[in-house]
Amino acid sequence: MTMLARTYRARRFEDAIAQVRRDLGPDAVIFSSQRCPLPDAPHEEEVEVRALPATLARRGEDTSLEGGDELSRKLAKMGVPASAALLLSRALAERSGEGLASLRRARAQLKSVLEREMLFGSLASAHRGPRVVVMVGPTGAGKTTTLAKLAARSALLERRRTLLVSLDNYRIGGAEQLERYADLIGVPMEMLAEDRKLDSVLRRHPGAEVIYVDTEGRSPRDQDALHAMAERIHGAGEAVEVHLCVPVGLAESEVQSLIERHLVLRPSKLIATKLDEAVYHGSIVAAQIFAGLPYSYFTLGQRVPEDIEYATAERLAALLCGEELSA
């Protein structure tokens, strides 16, 4: 697997991913990412991404799904794309030194492989100033609830000066839901009119340390609306973290379409939502393959702020091995 991989380097993660997509196509399998010091400037860093062409990743795919590789077949049944299932199965075999037919028996090894092959956590940012976190995603992805969970943690547990902002001028009751959360958490909230950009909010709240921005859910097919949203988010030139909420349980083709149509919003991280509502969780792997972005959080239910956790290989390995989420 690693012998066939190609390595790409750039100052920003997004630029490295753009190189991968340009050279290998949108279906390339991205299986590792790390920060490395620059050879001529050891105090500065660049991002190194390793990716595999989809055509190479799919070699032997049909055999694995017909029973030639029992483990890859089981992973594919969980919703993991067939090419990625084969890669994970091979990596497990390399690590264990033998075939592993049982996912439950392979859980510890699967965790280690996922830690190596997938991207979890935030890439460091050199930006100084208030942290601006924007939630985007399709209608029903759980953006507002996810944002409320993070805001509650920030304000109540971390004691940081927190501000909520709604860009939702489209959905009936969208802003009202966020306003209720703001009242419960005890933080201010702003409605941003369609002709205003984020910098106007930052000027009115110079003491805010963390600003969480909710957006309206639009159909991924409504590209005009998504382009307009991108202008509102990025047009002021402020540094923002855009987290794309992807509900778990979608078919592979649905995940790919969702990712591709939301790339105009320039997401930098993924959040897998509604893990508690999904029977199979392989689409978590699929979303990262198509987006090439690290996971920041998993959401596990409706409770605020309890039902959210940092995304980890340990949780994903447990889900792929069939472990039920505890209530």
Side-chain angles (χ1 to χ4, degrees):
M1 176 175 62
T2 55
M3 293 176 61
L4 299 175
R6 301 186 190 179
T7 301
Y8 297 85
R9 295 182 176 88
R11 286 297 187 97
R12 301 191 310 157
F13 185 81
E14 304 94 287
D15 295 335
I17 294 302
Q19 293 180 42
V20 172
R21 297 286 182 250
R22 184 175 59 250
D23 289 358
L24 306 182
D27 296 333
V29 177
I30 298 161
F31 60 86
S32 71
S33 173
Q34 63 179 338
R35 285 190 172 275
C36 308
L38 289 170
D40 54 349
H43 297 295
E44 299 182 32
E45 291 185 326
E46 63 182 352
V47 177
E48 178 185 279
V49 172
R50 306 194 71 195
L52 196 67
T55 52
L56 294 178
R58 291 192 177 110
R59 288 179 181 174
E61 175 180 312
D62 294 338
T63 301
S64 70
L65 298 185
E66 291 173 0
D69 185 327
E70 182 69 11
L71 193 56
S72 65
R73 185 187 65 79
K74 291 180 178 179
L75 286 168
K77 185 178 179 180
M78 295 293 295
V80 176
S83 57
L86 182 60
L87 289 174
L88 291 174
S89 176
R90 288 176 175 173
L92 280 167
E94 291 172 4
R95 175 170 285 273
S96 67
E98 59 182 12
L100 287 167
S102 169
L103 273 176
R104 290 187 181 276
R105 291 178 58 190
R107 176 176 166 177
Q109 293 95 326
L110 181 59
K111 171 182 174 290
S112 297
V113 169
L114 290 172
E115 285 176 335
R116 188 183 71 190
E117 308 292 355
M118 290 187 65
L119 311 175
F120 298 95
S122 303
L123 292 174
S125 171
H127 174 67
R128 297 293 180 266
R131 183 179 176 219
V132 183
V133 179
V134 182
M135 293 289 159
V136 302
T139 303
K143 298 183 296 298
T144 303
T145 306
T146 300
L147 183 145
K149 294 171 184 175
L150 294 175
R153 286 189 171 192
S154 175
L156 303 178
L157 301 181
E158 300 170 6
R159 299 293 182 183
R160 305 183 72 186
R161 293 188 295 275
T162 303
L163 171 67
L164 299 185
V165 178
S166 176
L167 271 61
D168 193 346
N169 306 112
Y170 176 77
R171 180 168 56 102
I172 296 175
E176 288 80 359
Q177 182 185 7
L178 189 64
E179 188 171 18
R180 288 196 296 271
Y181 281 129
D183 289 340
L184 289 171
I185 299 167
V187 299
M189 177 196 155
E190 289 261 6
M191 273 291 303
L192 195 63
E194 290 190 26
D195 59 344
R196 306 292 291 276
K197 294 187 175 68
L198 283 175
D199 60 339
S200 62
V201 172
L202 299 181
R203 287 196 300 270
R204 286 197 299 275
H205 296 269
E209 297 177 275
V210 189
I211 297 95
Y212 290 101
V213 183
D214 195 20
T215 63
E216 67 266 26
R218 292 297 188 107
S219 166
R221 295 182 177 84
D222 192 348
Q223 287 295 290
D224 289 340
L226 291 175
H227 278 279
M229 186 187 299
E231 176 60 26
R232 297 183 74 195
I233 294 171
H234 298 286
E238 298 291 339
V240 299
E241 297 175 23
V242 179
H243 293 242
L244 176 55
C245 294
V246 182
V248 177
L250 299 178
E252 183 179 339
S253 60
E254 294 175 310
V255 173
Q256 183 173 12
S257 176
L258 186 158
I259 296 294
E260 290 177 349
R261 294 176 186 274
H262 281 86
L263 287 179
V264 65
L265 300 176
R266 291 155 55 188
S268 54
K269 299 176 181 68
L270 298 175
I271 298 179
T273 63
K274 303 189 174 185
L275 272 69
D276 57 310
E277 299 180 17
V279 177
Y280 301 118
H281 298 85
S283 60
I284 297 175
V285 180
Q288 187 166 100
I289 290 173
F290 297 128
L293 299 172
Y295 274 105
S296 53
Y297 299 97
F298 293 156
T299 73
L300 317 169
Q302 293 296 314
R303 294 179 300 172
V304 176
E306 295 90 345
D307 291 334
I308 190 168
E309 63 184 35
Y310 290 109
T312 63
E314 182 175 9
R315 172 67 80 177
L316 180 55
L319 292 170
L320 293 178
C321 289
E323 180 177 298
E324 296 288 338
L325 285 169
S326 59

